[in-house]
Amino acid sequence: MPYDKYTIQVNPLPANLTPSQRLKLRKLNINHTISSQFNSLPRQSVYVDTKDELIDPMDSLFNIPCPRFSTCTASTTSTAASSVFSSSESLSSDDWGEADNMQLELAFKSESARICDEFLEHSKILADFKKVNVSMPALSKPSCSLPRLPPKSPSLPEIPTRPTPPQQTRYQTYTRPTWLPPKSTHDKLKHQHQAGNLINHAISAEAKLQQRRLKTIAKLNKQRQKDIISTWVPYLEAKSTLDTQLKNIDECIWRGVDEEVRAKVWWKSQQLKKSQYNDTFCDYYFHEVGLIHDRIIQSQRLQHEVDMCQRNPNHQKSIQRLSKLNHGLKTELNCSIHNYTLTQWTTIFQTISKKLEHLYPEIHLPIDKVTQVIVAFMLYWHHQTSCDLSTLAAISGLPNLAAILHRTYKGSMYKTLITLCHIFQMKLPNMMLSYLTAAPENQPIIASSISDYIHYEYELTFKDQLDRVYTHFKVRNVEPLAYLPTLVAGLCTNLFSFDLSSHILDIVLLSENNEQFIIQLVLGYMKKIQHKLFGTDQEILHTLLGDNGVNVGYEYEFIDTIKMIK
């Protein structure tokens, strides 16, 4: 008898069991059936009806007060949000639940709006436990008084309250199982008062927490405005790096640069460092990219004419013209431009444009211009390292960096390209990108240089900050070079929100010791998701390098986490 014909008899279970008791008893029955009937047969997959393991709609749910909710993992591509999309705990994004979808909807809102929405959602969940079954008598207000919420500043948004509509629900206000003797009315009311007090205190604590967050964000924004006059105006007037007194602006860098002067400060940092890149450099590469783009457009027109001729294959003139067009199109697509055929260039342009289509949709990126900047940088990097452009086009984070710079510089393609080149002239990003795009025979040499440069410092800090994760990585043989180059090359910008990524670039471009900050950034990111880093080596790398994004908390919280790593 084929194995797929075997069935397992599942005996009905008592109706008065809780879901967990049903699940436990169901598993015992299944194991007993397997051991008694199929002990001598090889192991096989068995279909088990799990309907009985689900909570029956007719069952009663009891309102045991739940703990205070913490911010779930989520990611964002917003210019104002500072949390990021929910990273799946499984290997497939299709397994995301309803809570993750709710976080995705919050991703495009400002931090203040997200705080209010989270408070409403948490309060609603807590208030659900207070819904009284229609069979219960009317109850008086809780006997204990609730703590008052802190006074709200006029600049802070009000956290709205959501009244609980009176409706019939299947929630009961006491935790006594229905199959046990009922409690007395006095005990029921007593328990209801206690449960109501606990829930009210939880809602009050949640409101206080959100108000503290709103106040912290408002205070930080106010301080950034003060930094414009006290720090950034003198910085913009500096003639050299000796006049800037970088140690005095270190705290301002960690707070972040206000959007009002961010573009000017970033560009001033490039001028003070006397970058080797100038307008002539940009003109050459933009000219070359423009020529390639024009050839691609011309080949697409030829392809369109070929398609038109193929609609009339029986006409003699159409056949001759079709043969001529096919020959011209084949010649055009096989022509070599900078050692790459036009077909390969078309694939590169399409790959980059596809990545930019869904990147930061709320800021309306000009995809064509940002694509030209990225291709210009790729062509420059190819001339410097002779790397494979297809490999370079697949690097995570490169489109994010270009998009953030282009947006911050208000569409200046020259400043975007120069700053992008400057970032990858820094030693650590340069080594990591060189490792990712090098030929296989050259990677061991670059890997040895990376190991000599940061291995000791990184390993020591990793072990000190995340000892359990560090030990698990050693057991699973997950080497730093398996994930560090990808994370460092994109500066983790593909994982974080627009605002947080811009704040990260504030520190990278302005800090004296940006290489130490990059190591702190990677470890801070790992610290936030450390609960997901215990698995197989494939699961660990998928979690670390996934492009879905990760929630690392609010912007100021994550920056503080990075700052504490020494």
Side-chain angles (χ1 to χ4, degrees):
M1 186 176 180
Y3 296 148
D4 57 351
K5 300 296 183 181
Y6 285 124
T7 58
I8 296 179
Q9 299 237 341
V10 180
N11 299 324
L13 301 177
N16 60 349
L17 297 180
T18 64
S20 60
Q21 289 172 333
R22 288 185 181 184
L23 177 61
K24 184 176 181 180
L25 188 56
R26 176 73 66 199
K27 289 181 178 179
L28 290 176
N29 288 342
I30 293 173
N31 292 337
H32 177 72
T33 306
I34 293 175
S35 61
S36 61
Q37 297 183 19
F38 311 121
N39 192 31
S40 60
L41 298 177
R43 297 182 63 182
Q44 56 184 313
S45 60
V46 180
Y47 171 76
V48 180
D49 184 7
T50 60
K51 291 182 179 179
D52 194 54
E53 298 175 8
L54 302 177
I55 298 177
D56 196 310
M58 300 303 297
D59 289 345
S60 297
L61 301 181
F62 301 98
N63 67 334
I64 303 174
C66 57
R68 187 174 63 80
F69 300 89
S70 60
T71 306
C72 303
T73 55
S75 171
T76 179
T77 52
S78 168
T79 55
S82 64
S83 295
V84 263
F85 293 109
S86 172
S87 61
S88 173
E89 295 195 12
S90 63
L91 296 182
S92 173
S93 59
D94 297 335
D95 295 332
W96 289 358
E98 183 179 353
D100 296 309
N101 294 331
M102 293 171 59
Q103 292 290 342
L104 293 178
E105 294 176 0
L106 294 175
F108 299 100
K109 298 183 179 181
S110 66
E111 282 192 339
S112 299
R114 285 191 65 251
I115 289 173
C116 294
D117 289 342
E118 287 174 3
F119 171 74
L120 286 177
E121 187 61 32
H122 297 167
S123 299
K124 179 180 179 298
I125 296 173
L126 288 169
D128 283 343
F129 289 103
K130 296 179 63 179
K131 294 178 181 178
V132 181
N133 189 279
V134 291
S135 62
M136 291 293 296
L139 300 174
S140 59
K141 295 181 179 180
S143 57
C144 68
S145 59
L146 299 179
R148 291 188 176 182
L149 296 180
K152 299 175 183 178
S153 171
S155 61
L156 298 179
E158 291 283 338
I159 294 183
T161 58
R162 179 181 298 176
T164 303
Q167 58 182 355
Q168 295 185 2
T169 67
R170 60 192 181 95
Y171 291 94
Q172 296 188 8
T173 57
Y174 51 91
T175 58
R176 192 168 184 82
T178 56
W179 61 86
L180 294 179
K183 289 183 179 180
S184 64
T185 304
H186 176 269
D187 289 340
K188 285 181 181 179
L189 294 176
K190 180 181 178 181
H191 179 271
Q192 174 61 27
H193 289 166
Q194 292 173 346
N197 289 338
L198 289 175
I199 294 171
N200 286 334
H201 282 302
I203 295 175
S204 176
E206 188 71 26
K208 287 182 177 180
L209 174 63
Q210 305 300 14
Q211 285 295 327
R212 284 198 300 270
R213 284 174 171 168
L214 290 173
K215 285 186 176 181
T216 302
I217 293 173
K219 181 179 179 181
L220 186 61
N221 291 335
K222 186 177 181 180
Q223 186 61 48
R224 286 176 179 174
Q225 287 291 326
K226 292 181 180 180
D227 291 341
I228 295 177
I229 304 299
S230 62
T231 302
W232 299 124
V233 170
Y235 180 84
L236 294 174
E237 296 173 353
K239 304 268 184 205
S240 66
T241 54
L242 298 177
D243 300 333
T244 59
Q245 298 179 350
L246 289 175
K247 291 183 180 179
N248 295 334
I249 67 173
D250 187 62
E251 287 298 323
C252 300
I253 294 173
W254 283 101
R255 278 195 295 268
V257 183
D258 191 86
E259 290 185 2
E260 183 180 341
V261 296
R262 175 171 280 160
K264 296 179 181 179
V265 171
W266 284 8
W267 186 241
K268 184 65 176 182
S269 70
Q270 309 305 302
Q271 294 176 324
L272 291 177
K273 294 174 182 177
K274 297 181 180 179
S275 175
Q276 59 180 326
Y277 310 106
N278 50 32
D279 291 352
T280 304
F281 167 85
C282 295
D283 286 333
Y284 169 76
Y285 282 104
F286 283 137
H287 176 72
E288 294 299 311
V289 172
L291 292 178
I292 297 172
H293 186 261
D294 291 342
R295 296 286 291 273
I296 292 175
I297 298 298
Q298 182 179 351
S299 68
Q300 291 175 346
R301 290 174 180 171
L302 284 174
Q303 183 64 55
H304 178 69
E305 292 182 12
V306 169
D307 295 338
M308 295 292 292
C309 289
Q310 287 178 343
R311 296 178 182 178
N312 300 313
N314 296 327
H315 197 279
Q316 185 65 26
K317 290 184 178 180
S318 297
I319 295 175
Q320 294 176 355
R321 179 171 173 76
L322 179 61
S323 177
K324 184 178 180 180
L325 287 174
N326 278 326
H327 177 73
L329 179 61
K330 184 177 181 181
T331 303
E332 184 73 12
L333 293 177
N334 291 330
C335 70
S336 178
I337 308 175
H338 294 286
N339 301 323
Y340 283 84
T341 64
L342 192 62
T343 302
Q344 292 174 311
W345 280 112
T346 303
T347 303
I348 291 171
F349 270 82
Q350 291 176 346
T351 300
I352 297 172
S353 298
K354 187 176 180 181
K355 286 185 175 182
L356 293 172
E357 281 180 1
H358 305 290
L359 192 65
Y360 310 130
E362 73 283 5
I363 65 176
H364 306 293
L365 280 174
I367 295 178
D368 290 341
K369 292 184 178 180
V370 180
T371 300
Q372 291 182 36
V373 172
I374 296 174
V375 176
F377 170 77
M378 291 171 57
L379 186 58
Y380 155 73
W381 192 261
H382 173 69
H383 289 165
Q384 296 292 314
T385 63
S386 301
C387 68
D388 181 21
L389 287 178
S390 300
T391 303
L392 185 56
I395 299 297
S396 298
L398 187 59
N400 300 71
L401 286 173
I404 295 168
L405 292 171
H406 189 273
R407 165 74 177 188
T408 303
Y409 285 131
K410 296 177 175 58
S412 174
M413 297 173 64
Y414 280 55
K415 292 181 179 179
T416 302
L417 178 59
I418 290 174
T419 307
L420 191 63
C421 292
H422 173 74
I423 290 174
F424 288 101
Q425 281 301 306
M426 300 177 185
K427 192 167 184 178
L428 195 53
N430 182 284
M431 295 172 71
M432 296 301 183
L433 189 61
S434 299
Y435 175 80
L436 290 174
T437 58
E441 60 272 13
N442 296 331
Q443 281 188 338
I445 301 174
I446 303 176
S448 177
S449 300
I450 295 174
S451 180
D452 293 341
Y453 186 61
I454 66 163
H455 182 271
Y456 177 76
E457 180 181 358
Y458 174 77
E459 291 276 335
L460 186 64
T461 310
F462 187 10
K463 188 176 187 303
D464 179 63
Q465 295 292 326
L466 297 163
D467 184 50
R468 292 182 62 195
V469 178
Y470 174 83
T471 303
H472 183 72
F473 277 30
K474 288 299 182 182
V475 171
R476 288 294 180 179
N477 198 27
V478 179
E479 296 296 331
L481 284 176
Y483 56 90
L484 269 183
T486 303
L487 293 177
V488 173
L491 298 177
C492 298
T493 51
N494 58 310
L495 303 171
F496 303 149
S497 70
F498 187 97
D499 282 347
L500 180 55
S501 298
S502 300
H503 195 160
I504 288 171
L505 286 180
D506 288 339
I507 305 175
V508 171
L509 294 174
L510 300 172
S511 176
E512 282 186 302
N513 195 354
N514 46 41
E515 294 174 358
Q516 181 182 354
F517 168 75
I518 292 174
I519 294 176
Q520 291 174 286
L521 171 65
V522 174
L523 291 176
Y525 160 57
M526 294 173 65
K527 196 168 187 177
K528 287 291 185 178
I529 64 166
Q530 58 181 306
H531 59 286
K532 297 183 179 182
L533 299 180
F534 295 92
T536 64
D537 51 348
Q538 294 88 351
E539 291 171 338
I540 291 171
L541 294 178
H542 183 276
T543 301
L544 280 173
L545 306 179
D547 275 336
N548 293 328
V550 184
N551 175 21
V552 289
Y554 294 101
E555 180 181 329
Y556 74 91
E557 294 176 342
F558 182 61
I559 295 298
D560 287 343
T561 300
I562 297 175
K563 191 175 180 180
M564 295 302 294
I565 296 176
K566 301 297 183 181

